[in-house]
Amino acid sequence: MKKLLFILAIFSLVLMSCTKDPTPELTTYTVTFDSLGGTDVSSQTIVDGEPATKPTDPTKEGFVFKHWYVTDEETEYIFSTPITGNITLYASWDEETPIGPTNEELIQDDIEAIEENLYLSDYQLSLPSRGPVSKSYITWKSESIYITSTGILLPTPSDEEVTQGEITASFTLGGTKVDHTFTVDLQAYEGVTISTSREVPFTNLTDEYDVADGEVTLYFEDEGSVPYIKLLDFFTLLQGFIDPEVEFSIVEGEDTLEISYQYIDEDFDEVYDLVLTIDATENTISTNDPGFYWAYVYTTETNYGRNITYVKDHPNDYTLEGENVVYDLDPYFMDIVVYEDDIVLPYYIVNQLFAGSSYYNVYYNHDGLFGIYALPDSESDEYITIKNSSLSKDEIPVDLVIHTFNMLAFDMDYFYGLKDIMEIDTYYEYLFQLKDKLVTQNPRHLDYGIRDLLLLK
């Protein structure tokens, strides 16, 4: 009986198990990811009502991944959204913005561009104030005595082995600053070669001397701006400034020119034999007496000696002969040249020695020559005339800038008279200190440079 009851209990349990409901199947949906040309992203099977999992961002060359979207590319899909059906998500991309060069790289491009176009000529560099590529701001500085901060290169002495110098550019771009030093080739002075000539009119602008208007030939190097002249042509041009009663004796050699005359000092009844020798080989101008440069001058219209009385037979009377004076042009990078069998000299040397010492100057402004007395007032007609020319608005040519610098050294060394007091052999020692102002195409800077030179202690 007990056995039967046990079997019935087991049978009841089996019947109960057979009648219980089975576990229901879950509803799922597929989330597909279309990267639109990017790397593949695996689809996801998501149970109804559950959110999808945000996958790793795809990549695409040339583009930056923004977000996933369903239909509106500007509307980013929110991955916490419950999934209630199959869905496709699309990738939204932004075109990749190329990463530009750094400021340092842009400045390096400037440096390379400047290096390729550094030389305008043997004596001038191209030094921009803005970078050719990046438009960086640039300042220039050189410790070399032969290189100015504006890029003008002074010739080096032919007896010095100086072939190169350096100039440093400071670049500023944004907050980036870079210094770069350029190596510069320097040119030794090789002398002057005259190749062209030009007739230039002369106009006398002063009443102090009765000098007739005329014209004279000036000589130049090829494409040069520095004038040269024959001394005898200069003497002929200035008759009236030069006493017509003075009889000059001329002796012309192959490379020399000798001019002599006698000067009679009527006040002291003395006769002086004055001799000038120009030697193109030695590159020198010499005279036995510095009186040569003024004793031929005609009396001015204004009698500046009207109140001076000469007392003859004064107990302290004596006569002092002048001393031999030699002007050597070699140290000043200037040449006496033989051209077509005649000797020609730098015009500014001729004007300084043979006219300027008597306060008469023959000013050259490219269009012509103008005779002026001393320094005309800035409001005078003479000043206005010589100041205005067809080149008034042009920069001063570089060869003329360099010549002016060397002419200034010549004048200071021979006529300023303070070398012993300053304890110097040549004023170049000071001129090089002021080279950035004195070797310039800017007339105002030149004025300031001369001011600073004269104020040196």
Side-chain angles (χ1 to χ4, degrees), residues 219-387:
Y219 301 87
F220 302 86
E221 291 189 273
D222 185 33
E223 297 185 356
S225 301
V226 178
Y228 291 75
I229 193 170
K230 297 178 184 177
L231 180 56
L232 297 180
D233 287 351
F234 191 74
F235 278 12
T236 300
L237 182 70
L238 298 189
Q239 291 298 310
F241 165 72
I242 295 176
D243 191 338
E245 295 185 4
V246 174
E247 295 182 3
F248 292 101
S249 295
I250 311 296
V251 179
E252 298 184 75
E254 184 176 348
D255 295 320
T256 60
L257 174 64
E258 182 181 283
I259 304 175
S260 60
Y261 67 98
Q262 285 189 330
Y263 172 68
I264 301 174
D265 187 338
E266 296 179 351
D267 294 305
F268 292 96
D269 195 24
E270 292 287 341
V271 177
Y272 299 90
D273 292 313
L274 305 176
V275 182
L276 177 85
T277 302
I278 300 173
D279 191 322
T281 301
E282 297 297 324
N283 207 29
T284 58
I285 302 170
S286 60
T287 180
N288 65 325
D289 190 314
F292 181 95
Y293 298 106
W294 57 262
Y296 51 70
V297 177
Y298 199 62
T299 304
T300 59
E301 185 69 23
T302 302
N303 180 12
Y304 294 98
R306 59 189 179 276
N307 295 318
I308 299 176
T309 302
Y310 295 93
V311 179
K312 296 201 63 173
D313 300 324
H314 191 278
N316 294 325
D317 279 352
Y318 68 95
T319 300
L320 178 64
E321 292 284 346
E323 297 180 356
N324 185 54
V325 177
V326 179
Y327 297 118
D328 185 359
L329 302 192
D330 278 340
Y332 306 97
F333 305 95
M334 292 186 283
D335 268 353
I336 299 169
V337 184
V338 177
Y339 177 68
E340 296 181 348
D341 298 326
D342 287 316
I343 286 180
V344 295
L345 296 91
Y347 177 79
Y348 300 109
I349 288 286
V350 170
N351 178 63
Q352 176 65 54
L353 296 181
F354 301 99
S357 59
S358 298
Y359 299 104
Y360 186 71
N361 285 286
V362 184
Y363 186 89
Y364 171 68
N365 72 353
H366 176 78
D367 293 344
L369 296 169
F370 302 89
I372 58 176
Y373 191 71
L375 296 175
D377 184 81
S378 60
E379 302 299 323
S380 66
D381 293 339
E382 292 91 341
Y383 179 83
I384 294 172
T385 298
I386 65 176
K387 181 180 178 180

Side-chain angles (χ1 to χ4, degrees), residues 148-215:
T148 73
S149 61
T150 58
I152 295 177
L153 308 179
L154 293 168
T156 62
S158 56
D159 59 349
E160 288 189 16
E161 296 183 358
V162 181
T163 60
Q164 291 184 325
E166 294 181 340
I167 188 167
T168 299
S170 295
F171 297 82
T172 302
L173 182 62
T176 303
K177 294 184 178 181
V178 175
D179 288 344
H180 180 81
T181 298
F182 295 85
T183 299
V184 176
D185 294 329
L186 300 174
Q187 303 295 323
Y189 181 69
E190 297 180 350
V192 172
T193 301
I194 299 297
S195 61
T196 62
S197 63
R198 182 163 60 91
E199 295 295 319
V200 176
F202 165 77
T203 305
N204 186 46
L205 299 179
T206 177
D207 295 329
E208 291 294 340
Y209 296 101
D210 185 15
V211 182
D213 295 346
E215 63 180 18

Side-chain angles (χ1 to χ4, degrees), residues 3 41 66 129 152 171 297 301 337 417 419 422:
K3 184 176 180 181
V41 177
K66 289 175 59 179
S129 59
I152 295 177
F171 297 82
V297 177
E301 185 69 23
V337 184
K419 285 196 296 183
M422 303 295 284

Side-chain angles (χ1 to χ4, degrees), residues 101-108 110 134 136-138 170-179:
T102 64
N103 286 346
E104 288 84 354
E105 291 171 333
L106 289 171
I107 289 174
Q108 184 59 42
D110 287 336
S134 73
S136 58
Y137 291 92
I138 312 173
S170 295
F171 297 82
T172 302
L173 182 62
T176 303
K177 294 184 178 181
V178 175
D179 288 344

Side-chain angles (χ1 to χ4, degrees), residues 50-62:
E50 297 294 322
T53 301
K54 185 176 181 180
T56 301
D57 292 344
T59 60
K60 183 178 180 180
E61 186 175 355

